[in-house]
Amino acid sequence: MDKPSIEELERIASQVRRDIVRMVHAVNSGHPGGSLGCTDFLTALYFNIMEIKKPFDMNGKDEDLFFLSNGHISPVWYSVLARSGYFEVSELATFRKLNSRVQGHPATEEGLPGIRVASGSLGQGLSVACGAAQAKKLNGDKHKVFVLMGDGELDEGQVWEAAMYAAHHKIDNIIATVDLNGQQIDGPTAKVMDLKDVKAKWQAFGWDVIESDGNDMKSVINAMKLAKSLSGKGKPVINLMKTEMGAGVDFMMGSHKWHGVAPNDEQLANALSQLEETLGDY
Amino acid sequence: MTKYTYTKTQDTRSGFGDGLLELGRTNPNVVALCADLVGSLKMQDFINEFPERFFQVGIAEANMMGLAAGMTIGGKIPFTGTFANFSTGRVYDQIRQSIAYSEKNVKICASHAGLTLGEDGATHQILEDIGMMKMLPHMTVINPCDYNQTKAATIAIAAHEGPVYLRFGRPKVPIFTPADQKFEIGKALKLIEGTDVTIFATGHLVWEAIVAEAELAKEGISVEVINIHTIKPLDVEAILESVRKTGCAVSAEEHQMNGGLGDSVAQTLALHHPAPLEMVAVNDSFGESGTPEELMTKYGIDAAHIIKAAKKVMKRK
Ligand SMILES: Cc1ncc(C[n+]2csc(CCOP(=O)(O)OP(=O)(O)O)c2C)c(N)n1
Ligand SMILES: [Mg+2]
């Protein structure tokens, strides 16, 4: 199957953004800000970059794996999983509702295809991804392990335990990405906990660092291609990806306010008017 | 039924180390991780034979739990090794989310549990770990009693699909269970048959229960000794069957009274067959430095305290 073009990916992303705002609006809860900011990235990963197999297999042998460490941006992941065929898009309507597989934060217990570990308590995903990457090496499996973290999430000490570990053990089949939106719950990261020179930090920990614009589909694709070409050379690779929280919906951009707040009816209508329905709403 | 004696003492952690080595030879999916405590956990033999299946994590237990969860994806069976304190309290949220809730096939192997690690003192003497672990859905909790049982348990948990907490200790203790005894997860072992009172014991307290039984027998008291090596899932049937016969029970463990084996036995009796129960356990306090024997005496978890508890509970029938 041919990989979708940049234009096609952008059209998918537009639908994913519609799904996100509709999902959080329907239950008046959830996290639209980070979800919208990471939409282009996740769309590119699942529709272009990763080699994945269906039906879903928990062990994920001979395919690429993705872990969402910043589990609160579950809406974007759920939408991309559904839109890429892991489950019916109609199931997105059950997000955060009783008896649903589409839990508030990603979970495995209910058996939602596409998810391999629960997340939501921040700081754990890089460790899990490192473990999965080492299991791949033991299995002689040449595929890669992708993981996304938030920038506020980098406050967690466990991230840096895993960062040190990955370089020490030469885990060069992992491609991590940080959603550098400069925001977390209590405000800008620079005010809550300044990351200072985040590039120098990862370099000092022994990682190959690349930088990209996470809201420019071309930049996202090129960054991931570059990351793939850098992997397999003895060092873990990280993509520091600048994004705008709330990207694609003008009134949600530019602050931390929409980290975890759902739009009301009027705001939803406004948001949807900015996002073309390209694949049909669920 | 056989009464128990011993000719040799050995630490239970060596049972873990030897079990792990055997697993390395028989199950290529078994991998091991350790947080800078290889010697204490007796993992060196495994490392020597299977260096490519061992992962040194450094002093980073949170990361170790996440790594182990990740390694299960692709079919590995990771055994993590550190002290019981750093295997549980330090990393509770990591275990809860990445291992228990995610139903990952991780074996959390925890040494130096309880007071009997001795001189290091209360910072290291965790007495809450069984409680923390048994509260987690999907988690199996095992506390073997001697070298042979720990080795057998280590081998058995590799064949069990799902997260397991395996708790063992530092000091040399009597080896009194047979080397060829099969370890069945969730199956209590009746060590001594009796009719007046049942002692449900786990871990290092099983030997103390055997010593207590011998003393009580001299006074004409018939004691049943049951080894509960698996605290979760609990062998409810074995507990009820014994207490229906004896009419009263003593629980014995190297753990807080709150949240330990005694709690589980009390719950079982209250729900199905109310009967008097005395609990030999640490009563809501931290430990301190001392020798294992001194500490067990001071904190009330030795044979003498089991004897007192047995006599007391029989009067409550
Ligand atoms: C261990 C942990 N502590 C606190 C929280 C609550 N929390 C959820 S999201 C968040 C902010 C995360 O910031 P960032 O990673 O930058 O995500 P963004 O807000 O950019 O989506 C916090 C503090 C959590 N989920 N986990
Ligand atoms: Mg952020």
Side-chain angles (χ1 to χ4, degrees):
Chain A
M1 209 173 70
D2 277 351
K3 293 196 166 175
S5 64
I6 298 287
E7 292 70 36
E8 283 165 326
L9 289 170
E10 283 167 347
R11 287 176 64 76
I12 298 168
S14 178
Q15 186 65 51
V16 170
R17 288 189 160 94
R18 285 182 71 89
D19 290 349
I20 292 166
V21 290
R22 292 181 69 237
M23 283 164 77
V24 298
H25 167 266
V27 286
N28 193 27
S29 74
H31 299 79
S35 292
L36 292 166
C38 292
T39 295
D40 305 301
F41 174 70
L42 273 146
T43 302
L45 263 193
Y46 276 85
F47 286 88
N48 186 292
I49 298 296
M50 290 203 300
E51 285 176 37
I52 44 184
K53 294 200 297 199
K54 313 242 178 62
F56 174 69
D57 170 42
M58 177 57 87
N59 277 320
K61 285 189 183 159
D62 301 316
E63 64 175 317
D64 292 337
L65 305 181
F66 172 72
F67 294 98
L68 182 71
S69 190
N70 46 336
H72 60 278
I73 70 164
S74 57
V76 61
W77 197 17
Y78 293 148
S79 169
V80 168
L81 285 175
R83 295 282 170 191
S84 62
Y86 278 95
F87 54 89
E88 296 290 326
V89 292
S90 59
E91 201 169 341
L92 296 175
T94 71
F95 175 59
R96 287 186 171 239
K97 290 183 178 159
L98 195 64
N99 299 323
S100 169
R101 300 196 296 179
V102 192
Q103 290 290 299
H105 290 81
T108 58
E109 244 197 358
E110 296 77 13
L112 189 69
I115 298 178
R116 292 190 170 86
V117 74
S119 59
S121 174
L122 294 166
Q124 302 185 29
L126 187 59
S127 301
V128 176
C130 284
Q134 288 190 298
K136 281 211 177 296
K137 283 183 180 258
L138 287 170
N139 289 336
D141 177 347
K142 297 277 180 246
H143 284 79
K144 309 224 177 304
V145 176
F146 295 84
V147 55
L148 177 64
M149 295 172 279
D151 51 1
E153 185 178 11
L154 300 186
D155 298 353
E156 287 286 356
Q158 186 181 346
V159 172
W160 302 99
E161 293 181 5
M164 202 186 298
Y165 179 91
H168 176 83
H169 285 275
K170 301 187 170 53
I171 305 179
D172 58 6
N173 55 343
I174 193 168
I175 297 174
T177 295
V178 179
D179 173 21
L180 273 186
N181 61 12
Q183 309 289 347
Q184 55 194 105
I185 289 188
D186 283 348
T189 53
K191 283 208 175 134
V192 176
M193 185 53 62
D194 198 341
L195 294 165
K196 301 280 184 189
D197 192 341
V198 70
K199 182 177 180 184
K201 282 189 169 68
W202 285 97
Q203 281 172 335
F205 273 77
W207 288 59
D208 257 338
V209 182
I210 62 176
E211 292 169 292
S212 64
D213 177 348
N215 295 131
D216 177 283
M217 195 57 87
K218 214 174 183 155
S219 172
V220 172
I221 298 285
N222 288 340
M224 284 294 104
K225 284 187 176 158
L226 176 60
K228 275 185 163 180
S229 74
L230 288 172
S231 67
K233 297 194 162 74
K235 281 168 92 173
V237 179
I238 191 154
N239 166 32
L240 300 179
M241 180 178 77
K242 283 231 161 59
T243 70
E244 182 85 54
M245 187 177 263
V249 177
D250 56 10
F251 64 90
M252 289 188 177
M253 299 184 352
S255 96
H256 62 278
K257 264 191 4 227
W258 290 91
H259 159 91
V261 179
N264 62 26
D265 294 351
E266 208 177 300
Q267 289 162 333
L268 174 71
N270 184 354
L272 292 178
S273 75
Q274 302 174 37
L275 300 165
E276 190 188 342
E277 182 181 348
T278 50
L279 303 174
D281 287 339
Y282 63 82
Chain B
M1 216 175 242
T2 43
K3 297 275 169 136
Y4 290 82
T5 53
Y6 70 96
T7 52
K8 221 183 131 197
T9 64
Q10 179 73 291
D11 41 12
T12 50
R13 56 192 164 131
S14 287
F16 164 69
D18 291 347
L20 186 66
L21 178 63
E22 195 166 314
L23 279 175
R25 291 172 180 163
T26 54
N27 189 335
N29 280 325
V30 167
V31 299
L33 301 87
C34 186
D36 200 21
L37 285 169
V38 162
S40 296
L41 270 287
K42 306 287 180 189
M43 294 169 96
Q44 194 59 53
D45 290 344
F46 179 92
I47 298 170
N48 291 345
E49 237 177 275
F50 310 103
E52 74 291 348
R53 283 199 265 151
F54 172 75
F55 300 92
Q56 175 58 262
V57 176
I59 315 159
E61 296 80 10
N63 186 39
M64 179 163 72
M65 293 305 159
L67 291 167
M71 286 178 188
T72 66
I73 298 164
K76 298 299 147 201
I77 308 173
F79 282 63
T80 66
T82 181
F83 291 158
N85 190 12
F86 314 135
S87 294
T88 57
R90 176 104 192 170
V91 291
Y92 198 64
D93 185 46
Q94 283 78 13
I95 294 176
R96 183 175 179 276
Q97 172 169 287
S98 294
I99 297 175
Y101 184 40
S102 297
E103 298 176 81
K104 292 295 175 235
N105 195 21
V106 174
K107 315 304 169 187
I108 302 164
C109 302
S111 184
H112 292 53
L115 292 175
T116 54
L117 76 83
E119 294 78 359
D120 273 345
T123 52
H124 288 52
Q125 289 161 342
I126 196 155
L127 294 163
E128 307 88 46
D129 54 327
I130 291 175
M132 280 190 275
M133 290 298 116
K134 81 176 185 181
M135 277 198 290
L136 290 171
H138 303 310
M139 186 64 74
T140 292
V141 179
I142 297 173
N143 185 193
C145 63
D146 70 354
Y147 168 90
N148 285 339
Q149 195 173 73
T150 308
K151 184 176 174 190
T154 303
I155 293 164
I157 62 177
H160 167 88
E161 177 75 31
V164 175
Y165 179 61
L166 181 68
R167 176 200 216 233
F168 40 89
R170 172 173 182 264
K172 288 192 160 55
V173 293
I175 304 179
F176 59 95
T177 67
D180 60 352
Q181 187 158 65
K182 229 184 118 210
F183 189 92
E184 265 187 84
I185 296 171
K187 195 102 189 73
L189 289 168
K190 192 186 287 181
L191 300 183
I192 299 170
E193 208 155 330
T195 52
D196 295 331
V197 56
T198 309
I199 302 172
F200 296 111
T202 194
H204 290 147
L205 268 285
V206 179
W207 178 252
E208 298 298 315
I210 286 168
V211 172
E213 186 275 338
E215 288 302 310
L216 288 163
K218 287 182 199 157
E219 300 181 35
I221 299 172
S222 168
V223 179
E224 182 144 300
V225 179
I226 293 186
N227 171 205
I228 309 275
H229 51 61
T230 306
I231 288 134
K232 185 186 169 191
L234 192 65
D235 192 343
V236 170
E237 261 326 297
I239 291 172
L240 293 178
E241 190 191 306
S242 179
V243 175
R244 280 197 192 104
K245 174 177 65 176
T246 61
C248 65
V250 172
S251 62
E253 65 196 304
E254 187 181 353
H255 191 270
Q256 296 288 351
M257 205 175 277
N258 285 326
L261 167 66
D263 242 21
S264 295
V265 173
Q267 188 184 73
T268 302
L269 294 179
L271 288 173
H272 304 284
H273 183 78
L277 171 72
E278 289 291 325
M279 297 185 194
V280 172
V282 176
N283 191 2
D284 202 25
S285 70
F286 290 104
E288 64 181 84
S289 292
T291 67
E293 298 74 24
E294 287 167 348
L295 291 165
M296 286 174 77
T297 303
K298 175 163 178 179
Y299 289 86
I301 54 167
D302 58 3
H305 286 86
I306 295 174
I307 292 169
K308 263 197 0 218
K311 288 178 176 171
K312 186 171 170 199
V313 82
M314 281 172 62
K315 291 200 189 105
R316 291 174 53 203
K317 275 208 244 187

